[in-house]
Amino acid sequence: MVRKAAVLGAGVMGAQIAAHLANAGVPVLLFDLAAKEGDPNGIVLKAIENLKKLEPSPLAAKDRAEGIVPANYDRDLALLADCDLVIEAISERMDWKKALYEKVAPHIGAQAIFASNTSGLSINALAQACPVALRPRFCGIHFFNPPRYMHLVELIAQRDTQPELLDQLETFLVTTLGKGVVRAKDTPNFVANRVGVFSIISTMVHTERLGLGFDVVDALTGPAIGRARSATYRTSDVVGLDTMAHVIRTMDETLPDDPWHRYYQPPSWLKALIDQGALGQKSRAGFFRKVGKDIQVLDPGTQGYRPSAGEIDPGVAAILALKTPGERFGALRAHSNPQAQFLWSIFRDLFHYCAYHLATIADNARDVDFAIRWGFGWQMGPFETWQAAGWKAIAQWVAEDIAAGRALATVPLPAWVDEGPAAGGVHTRAGAYSAATGSFQPRSRLPVYGRQYFPDPILGETPAPGTTILETDAVRVWHTGDDIAIASFKTKQNTISDAVLDGLLAAIAEAEKNWRGLVVWQTMEPFSLGANLTSLVSPVQAGRWDEVEAVVVKFQETSQRLRYSLIPTVAAVRGMALGGGCEFTMHCDRAVAALESYIGLVEAGVGLLPAGGGSKELAMRAAQDVARGPVGSQFDQLPFLRTYFQQIARATVSKSALDARDLGYLKPSDVVIFNPYELLWVAKAQVRALSESAYRPPLPPSAIPVAGRTGIATLEMMLVNMRDGGFISAYDFEVSLAIARVLCGGDVEPGSLVDEKWLLDLERREFMTLLKNPKTQERVAHTLKTGKPLRN
């Protein structure tokens, strides 16, 4: 168990690793050199302040920085004795790391795990700088940047590492920090960087060979082929061109016998950029730079910048649109267009490289695929891509290109590609192929993975779908063999339509009769993007207002049924939970939210207000916030109302589940977990805990104090100033004033006591009034057409 941790090195990675430990509630010491002037911890204090400024934020909530304690090597090494995990994250210099190990080793506790975050240096070589007694507790632990958001962590043993230590560390990483762990072999750059950086090197070689622009290559190597939006050269800018050159140089120095060794040199134009100090995002110029609002790209011919306008050739785009992967690769290989030849070449060389090196860099093909998916953001790993396109056909084409001298290396494909158990592919139901053992390996059997009902699937895996209880066109209610019902939406982006409302009401009724509780969980992100506005367009245009209002009434009824059903209801949230998705979350007895959940009431963006009980709920929570004050005090409700009002009016979305709790979208009793694949397990555990506690639904509040007309007037004055100052439009003013009327309980005396029905009726009336306004209808239509808000 990791009760306390330390990170050595307050650079970019070290500080962000410390931030993610703090996100998880692990107290962490962040060490660096003592400052030469001022506060001895000045270097670390500056690093912590920088964490608060970064976007996307390494900190899941503002207060998480308080969990990071600054320290320095001169005065504070004795503090290491109380730490259960010590992570070294200083610069990639073997001599610097070894010198640090000699300094800190005497202070590391006998129970502690000591690990290096090196991205590619030999763990066995680093272990030699540790005392003999520490070596069984030393290993590699390679986080990917940025540590909060990248799922991958590579664990690397050295010859003396205790196996049980790795199991303990993997369990901690998976559940506490929410990571996907790959056990890597101690080879240069391990798995993800070895394969991912080779892919970038290959891309650079073929970029130069075919004379393509960096912007064109990024258009080709991003979402168009199932990879991250940052593609190749933008990714290099984000990583840092000096860091990229260092990783390439490491491959050059440590892999002299590699068949691809002659390519382990940075191209001349990469060297030129580094010499000029153009290191990418951190220096505001690299392959790309931003000038005002314009993005410019480097022209390797002139070494100057030009406007970035890279586009995919229409003929190549048509090939990429083909449904069958095998057809796509065949057409790319046969096409003479340089873009097509480029794409086939980078995939061919990637397949060749991965097949040749599989036995030495990874335990099996699954680890390679997960490492690339989780570490580089690809939708499919290299072996998955190959097998999905037709294993034998691709192997034949690669072999033909190798024989013809078109591939980057002349070494043939290994024999296992065409012979033996993997001749039809490396992923089967029995597991993933290990080239080192010649067998298929199942997934890890560590107990921690028993918490994942539906782990991230690999090609060829078909998870058990569960048993259907009832199903409609919009909702499926099912179970996994126990006594807890699960409701999952079947609509696009899990939006909420009239049919979803009917299905969810039916699910609640069924659960009350025959099941211990109900979990609302989606098979894929997002949790829900809210109401399906498209379904309202026709009745709105036809003026069938009774029909529209009936749907709103049913929406409110569904939220209330989630709150007051006779069985516990739990919302299992990951990804976005917007509008109605947020309202359902707020009304369940308990929410279990993955850290990367983005929750908010966003209706104001289309000129509406939350009317599925969301406005009512925040009005009630404001009253509860006041009630939590000291006994006998007369707290002013307006500060709480003002906060919630601003959140709705600005369509504020949380930046994490922890932030959602701070914003009031999640209750203090709601649970935040870090691994999204454990979400259903924990949600079910919450149902069981509530049920075992003799669950009864809460009693509806009958006396909710509201701010009334005084509160409305106060918020209106704030809005007048914003309108007159040009911060909001005249119609934004009208929408926001309607929100204010609902949150304040309407035109009543301040301090009046109302019930839930009063607030629900009020939010519904204001919603319908706004929806009948042509300006709101214009906003809805514009958003449905463009995906962007309209300020009219």
Side-chain angles (χ1 to χ4, degrees), residues 261-281:
H261 178 263
R262 69 191 181 100
Y263 297 104
Y264 297 162
Q265 295 290 330
S268 57
W269 30 264
L270 178 57
K271 293 179 181 176
L273 283 171
I274 294 170
D275 291 342
Q276 296 164 17
L279 305 179
Q281 184 171 284

Side-chain angles (χ1 to χ4, degrees), residues 172-255:
F172 169 76
L173 290 167
V174 169
T175 287
T176 305
L177 298 189
K179 295 303 174 186
V181 173
V182 166
R183 301 272 186 110
K185 296 184 179 182
D186 188 21
T187 55
N189 291 347
F190 311 130
V191 179
N193 276 346
R194 180 73 175 273
V195 174
V197 172
F198 171 78
S199 178
I200 292 173
I201 292 171
S202 170
T203 298
M204 290 178 173
V205 170
H206 292 300
T207 298
E208 194 166 30
R209 178 176 69 86
L210 293 164
L212 299 178
F214 300 133
D215 51 345
V216 171
V217 170
D218 270 12
L220 289 165
T221 59
I225 58 171
R227 298 185 184 177
R229 289 187 178 277
S230 54
T232 300
Y233 293 106
R234 288 183 190 275
T235 295
S236 299
D237 275 351
V238 171
V239 169
L241 303 192
D242 53 341
T243 302
M244 184 63 63
H246 170 78
V247 174
I248 295 172
R249 187 164 56 250
T250 298
M251 296 174 77
D252 173 50
E253 294 171 354
T254 57
L255 297 167

Side-chain angles (χ1 to χ4, degrees), residues 604-607 729 731-732 774-783 786-792:
V606 291
S729 70
Y731 195 58
D732 289 332
K775 289 187 178 294
T776 285
Q777 295 173 27
E778 289 170 12
R779 290 190 176 191
V780 171
H782 181 84
T783 299
T786 68
K788 299 178 180 179
L790 172 68
R791 287 291 171 263
N792 53 353

